[in-house]
Each structure stands twice: as C-alpha cells, then as structure tokens.
Amino acid sequence: MAKTCLFCNETIKGRSDKKFCDKQCRNAYNYNSTQSTENQIRSINKQLRINRSALKKACPEGKATVRKKFLKTLGMNFKYLTHTWKSNSNILYYFCYDYGYTPSVDPEKVVIIQHQNFMNK
Ligand SMILES: [Zn+2]
C-alpha cells in the first residue's frame, strides 16, 4: 500500500520511511500541531480563570458553603484545578489559584475557602 503524506494526504514518492512529501508539508504539519497544543493550553487557562472567579463570587467572606449547581451557573468546570491542599484535619481541598473547595457533607454542596498564608507551610 502506498504511503500518504500526513499533511496533504498525497501519495509519497521515494523512501518508504518518509512521512511527508516535502519540507513544506512537514513544517505545515508541525505548525498545526503546535497551534493546537497552544489552543488547548489557552482554553484550559481560560477555564481556570473562570473557575477562580466563580469561587470568588460565591465566597466573598473567605469561607462559604454553596451549591455545586450555583457554581456551575457561574461557569465552573470541576474538572480543572491548579493544585490541592490538605488541612491539619486531613481534608483535601481542590484549588484554582487562591480559592479552593472541598465536598460538603451535603453531596450537592461544596465548602469554599480562600487561600491563607499559613497554607504555604
Ligand atoms: Zn504533503
């Protein structure tokens, strides 16, 4: 079976280990895959900022218990976080920058906290 170029799908002539017809096709292919990685990173960064501002809006006083549904209406996507932090009482918080949350006893709610300096230790 004839091999086709990964970029333009034309049949490749010459060596069987070639993946592209020429340098232009290889460059164009590499450029596209870099762009798509960059776009993915950009859209994750955007979601993290949306998550952070949703948590901040829902927690103006440093600590709050709110419905997950409410955070979702503010654009929160629970899949994305920047880091985790475990409290002295072994509660794991999921952070988006300086705001974090942990599941509440009520499965429909989460407890939100704002980052404090002592958490850096
Ligand atoms: Zn090509």
Side-chain angles (χ1 to χ4, degrees):
M1 209 178 86
K3 279 189 77 178
T4 56
C5 171
L6 287 178
F7 182 69
C8 71
N9 284 322
E10 289 292 314
T11 307
I12 299 174
K13 299 176 186 90
R15 288 202 334 261
S16 62
D17 59 334
K18 276 171 68 175
K19 289 177 183 159
F20 304 98
C21 12
D22 53 26
K23 221 169 154 183
Q24 271 93 346
C25 278
R26 191 182 62 213
N27 287 345
Y29 180 87
N30 288 338
Y31 178 77
N32 281 357
S33 65
T34 303
Q35 285 304 100
S36 92
T37 305
E38 284 302 316
N39 286 341
Q40 264 177 323
I41 292 171
R42 215 169 291 138
S43 83
I44 290 169
N45 286 347
K46 194 174 153 200
Q47 185 58 54
L48 284 170
R49 282 174 179 278
I50 293 170
N51 282 1
R52 191 254 173 197
S53 80
L55 290 167
K56 189 185 175 191
K57 252 179 234 167
C59 178
E61 309 273 332
K63 189 167 185 175
T65 303
V66 301
R67 292 188 170 277
K68 286 194 256 183
K69 252 189 195 155
F70 176 61
L71 287 169
K72 280 183 184 164
T73 65
L74 296 174
M76 179 93 182
N77 181 336
F78 289 92
K79 240 168 57 179
Y80 296 101
L81 54 130
T82 56
H83 60 287
T84 58
W85 174 74
K86 204 180 254 180
S87 72
N88 285 337
S89 41
N90 254 343
I91 297 170
L92 188 63
Y93 286 87
Y94 302 94
F95 270 82
C96 294
Y97 304 105
D98 54 340
Y99 284 87
Y101 67 90
T102 194
S104 157
V105 278
D106 180 341
E108 296 196 344
K109 293 178 180 176
V110 291
V111 179
I112 303 171
I113 55 167
Q114 192 178 2
H115 176 86
Q116 306 292 323
N117 283 332
F118 73 84
M119 294 174 185
N120 293 332
K121 283 171 204 160

